[in-house]
Amino acid sequence: GAVVSQHPSWVICKSGTSVKIECRSLDFQATTMFWYRQFPKQSLMLMATSNEGSKATYEQGVEKDKFLINHASLTLSTLTVTSAHPEDSSFYICSASELGGIYGYTFGSGTRLTVV
Amino acid sequence: EDKVVQSPLSLVVHEGDTVTLNCSYEVTNFRSLLWYKQEKKAPTFLFMLTSSGIEKKSGRLSSILDKKELFSILNITATQTGDSAVYLCAVGKDDKIIFGKGTRLHILP
């Protein structure tokens, strides 16, 4: 079945630094990738949708200059949290969809980001 | 505004009981309804439903969709402690998935 690899699984960084999270589709071409964040005991909140080769579409309230998304190939999307602050600490999950497939039903394993 | 509402938000039952989790939705451009199980990490896919009235089964889990009344249920029979998790309902639109807040299920041994 479709596999999505996400790394790192967890990362601790200092305030003001940037962190990059990678999401790879291993056995299919992901025309669309989704980035979510999840706070403890809350549901997944969609941050942005990225299509290969074009700019990401951000959900309302998500700062595009802070959460940089790049989807340069059909198998890789990256989320960079720039100038991280403690309030950015969260669980970030990507999911990937192939053209004609069920939108975003294959998830990566998630990245737990802690900003200190 | 699109919304996906799950109930109950939390549920505690004894091992062996049967549970029914509910999901109602108001979403434009509906494509599918999805159920996920989330334990400690990322959600794992359970079911995708696109047609009304057709039950999908996987072992002790089953789900059905009513597109007229805009809801779905997830049934788990003969529950086991390993079923303890958050169950997420999501609706796939034409360009995104919208999640409900989840039902936190705890199975007592």
Side-chain angles (χ1 to χ4, degrees):
Chain A
V3 177
V4 174
S5 171
Q6 183 176 345
H7 74 91
S9 297
W10 58 270
V11 58
I12 301 173
C13 71
K14 291 185 177 181
S15 286
T17 61
S18 295
V19 174
K20 181 185 282 188
I21 302 170
E22 290 190 352
C23 180
R24 293 180 185 273
S25 57
L26 297 186
D27 51 2
F28 67 100
Q29 294 184 327
T31 52
T32 305
M33 287 189 171
F34 304 87
W35 287 96
Y36 300 86
R37 71 187 293 183
Q38 186 177 35
F39 292 106
K41 297 190 178 181
Q42 295 191 24
S43 190
L44 297 165
M45 297 298 296
L46 180 65
M47 298 175 65
T49 303
S50 72
N51 292 295
E52 184 265 337
S54 60
K55 288 185 178 179
T57 302
Y58 290 81
E59 294 298 300
Q60 193 172 12
V62 178
E63 299 175 59
K64 61 181 180 181
D65 293 331
K66 180 167 185 63
F67 298 100
L68 300 179
I69 292 172
N70 183 281
H71 191 164
S73 78
L74 285 171
T75 59
L76 174 64
S77 177
T78 61
L79 166 67
T80 301
V81 183
T82 63
S83 187
H85 291 286
E87 56 265 30
D88 297 325
S89 299
S90 187
F91 190 52
Y92 293 86
I93 309 175
C94 71
S95 69
S97 167
E98 59 183 325
L99 184 65
I102 303 163
Y103 280 95
Y105 81 95
T106 306
F107 284 88
S109 55
T111 298
R112 184 159 303 284
L113 170 64
T114 302
V115 184
V116 298
Chain B
E1 183 183 340
D2 295 329
K3 56 183 179 180
V4 178
V5 179
Q6 291 186 246
S7 65
L9 290 180
S10 66
L11 185 59
V12 180
V13 299
H14 287 280
E15 205 167 20
D17 289 350
T18 293
V19 297
T20 298
L21 310 183
N22 304 295
C23 177
S24 63
Y25 62 92
E26 291 179 29
V27 173
T28 57
N29 301 315
F30 174 92
R31 289 270 305 261
S32 60
L33 188 138
L34 306 115
W35 284 97
Y36 295 87
K37 177 182 181 182
Q38 185 177 25
E39 296 173 269
K40 292 184 179 178
K41 286 206 167 182
T44 53
F45 175 78
L46 295 176
F47 298 110
M48 184 189 73
L49 304 155
T50 55
S51 301
S52 274
I54 299 175
E55 186 183 51
K56 292 215 171 179
K57 285 181 71 75
S58 176
R60 297 176 292 104
L61 277 67
S62 63
S63 183
I64 197 162
L65 172 66
D66 185 329
K67 290 171 74 173
K68 183 179 176 184
E69 299 297 329
L70 307 182
F71 79 89
S72 174
I73 60 172
L74 175 68
N75 275 324
I76 309 175
T77 59
T79 53
Q80 302 171 356
T81 54
D83 295 328
S84 296
V86 174
Y87 290 84
L88 295 167
C89 170
V91 172
K93 291 168 55 94
D94 48 0
D95 59 350
K96 63 178 74 172
I97 294 178
I98 298 172
F99 282 86
K101 293 188 176 181
T103 293
R104 186 172 295 275
L105 176 63
H106 185 65
I107 310 297
L108 298 171

